[in-house]
Amino acid sequence: MHTFLCGHAKGEPEEYVRQAAELGIDLITITDHIPMIREDLFRGRGVRMAMDEVPRYRELVDRAKKEGERLGVEVRYGIEAEYFPDENELHDMWDFIEAEPFDFVIGSLHHQLPGFRDWLMDQGGPIDIANAYFRLAAKAIATGKYDTLAHPDLIQIYGTIPPFDPHLTEASIRQMLEAAVAYDMCLEVNTSGLTKEIYKLHPDPIILRWAVDLGVKLTIGSDAHYPGQVGLKMDEVIPLLKEIGFERVHLFRERNRESIELE
């Protein structure tokens, strides 16, 4: 979940904790958008915090932890990081991640950001672009820099290309899934997709059925941008994951993976 420092989320951190407590959720991780130096590629204000706001981010997480201690909700410290076609643009970010005591690091391919979209538009037609996106997702996994890959089929929304049937890009999606198995990295089930544009879970249940057959591990999150989104659609998504065949999801503390049974 996010904080107001990113510029497109609302609410105080304590409000997210209280919402979690009301829903009986006993663990949340705050994962706001990581600072990036080149705003021409990654955008800045309105999308992510600035580097000089990181101390305040730590303070917000600490405030949430204190409220969590009062209410029986554990709060962990995370970040939502970027992957990008040119890895030379990521080294400073990766150094920052290594220096900061995060519990959990999410890797995201935000195709809608200007630098990323410019690169994708040079790849060909819509299906070529989707295939390029999923091949990049496999490369992101292979870096070993992240704990999970966020909203793995985000390319379905935000207008870079029209929505498409995952079967049309099955080979490149399977390349991403096989990379997750080979590098023992999780993929995220992001429930916020059920409230956006095409109103489908991230990733599409079709992809999840391929993933379970391969033995892909999952994390799960609501990607909350305001307190009312904490735990979003979990009551629908957890039974779906169990029906598909997943038995466990995974959490991270100090970058170490933990496994819990789906309930």
Side-chain angles (χ1 to χ4, degrees):
M1 53 197 62
H2 297 265
T3 76
F4 57 80
L5 292 178
C6 70
H8 60 280
K10 298 178 181 178
E12 296 296 330
E14 294 90 343
E15 295 178 274
Y16 289 76
V17 175
R18 291 177 202 129
Q19 177 71 6
E22 287 183 17
L23 295 172
I25 296 171
D26 60 9
L27 171 65
I28 61 174
T29 305
I30 298 177
T31 53
D32 215 341
H33 293 281
I34 199 164
M36 299 296 291
I37 294 172
R38 289 196 57 183
E39 293 188 8
D40 59 321
L41 298 179
F42 300 101
R43 298 180 63 187
R45 188 67 59 187
V47 170
R48 62 186 72 254
M49 73 182 94
M51 187 59 76
D52 62 8
E53 292 177 310
V54 170
R56 190 175 185 198
Y57 181 52
R58 296 189 197 110
E59 291 173 6
L60 293 176
V61 175
D62 286 343
R63 279 171 42 188
K65 287 182 177 181
K66 289 176 182 176
E67 183 70 351
E69 289 169 2
R70 187 178 73 84
L71 295 173
V73 178
E74 182 180 357
V75 178
R76 296 184 184 175
Y77 179 40
I79 201 75
E80 182 171 356
E82 299 289 342
Y83 188 73
F84 187 72
D86 182 359
E87 290 188 0
N88 291 321
E89 299 294 341
L90 301 175
H91 291 293
D92 288 339
M93 181 197 74
W94 286 338
D95 288 344
F96 169 66
I97 289 170
E98 291 302 316
E100 194 71 10
F102 292 120
D103 289 302
F104 183 41
V105 176
I106 299 174
S108 290
L109 281 74
H110 286 119
H111 64 93
Q112 69 272 34
L113 297 178
F116 207 146
R117 182 169 283 178
D118 288 347
W119 184 88
L120 284 170
M121 289 304 181
D122 289 335
Q123 304 307 307
I127 296 303
D128 299 312
I129 289 171
N131 281 323
Y133 178 89
F134 289 118
R135 288 193 295 268
L136 276 177
K139 287 185 67 177
I141 291 166
T143 66
K145 302 291 188 181
Y146 314 99
D147 300 319
T148 194
L149 186 71
H151 34 59
D153 58 351
L154 189 71
I155 192 68
Q156 289 268 25
I157 66 172
Y158 295 140
T160 299
I161 58 174
F164 56 91
D165 183 340
H167 290 96
L168 296 175
T169 57
E170 182 173 353
S172 59
I173 291 173
R174 285 188 176 273
Q175 183 178 343
M176 173 186 71
L177 299 176
E178 288 163 2
V181 174
Y183 292 93
D184 196 24
M185 183 175 139
C186 296
L187 296 187
E188 182 198 42
V189 176
N190 186 312
T191 65
S192 73
L194 291 167
T195 66
K196 297 176 183 175
E197 298 192 25
I198 61 173
Y199 302 102
K200 282 188 178 181
L201 186 65
H202 291 313
D204 190 297
I206 293 169
I207 298 173
L208 287 169
R209 293 182 191 279
W210 298 337
V212 74
D213 289 342
L214 291 168
V216 173
K217 296 179 176 70
L218 302 179
T219 61
I220 187 169
S222 57
D223 201 359
H225 281 68
Y226 61 87
Q229 290 183 325
V230 173
L232 180 73
K233 303 286 187 180
M234 293 289 180
D235 57 339
E236 298 176 24
V237 171
I238 290 173
L240 173 64
L241 293 177
K242 293 177 73 173
E243 183 272 322
I244 288 172
F246 289 98
E247 297 178 352
R248 308 189 73 81
V249 292
H250 298 82
L251 314 168
F252 287 80
R253 183 200 300 271
E254 297 179 352
R255 306 294 306 278
N256 294 311
R257 189 170 63 212
E258 306 167 342
S259 173
I260 61 169
E261 188 174 353
L262 274 173
E263 297 181 0

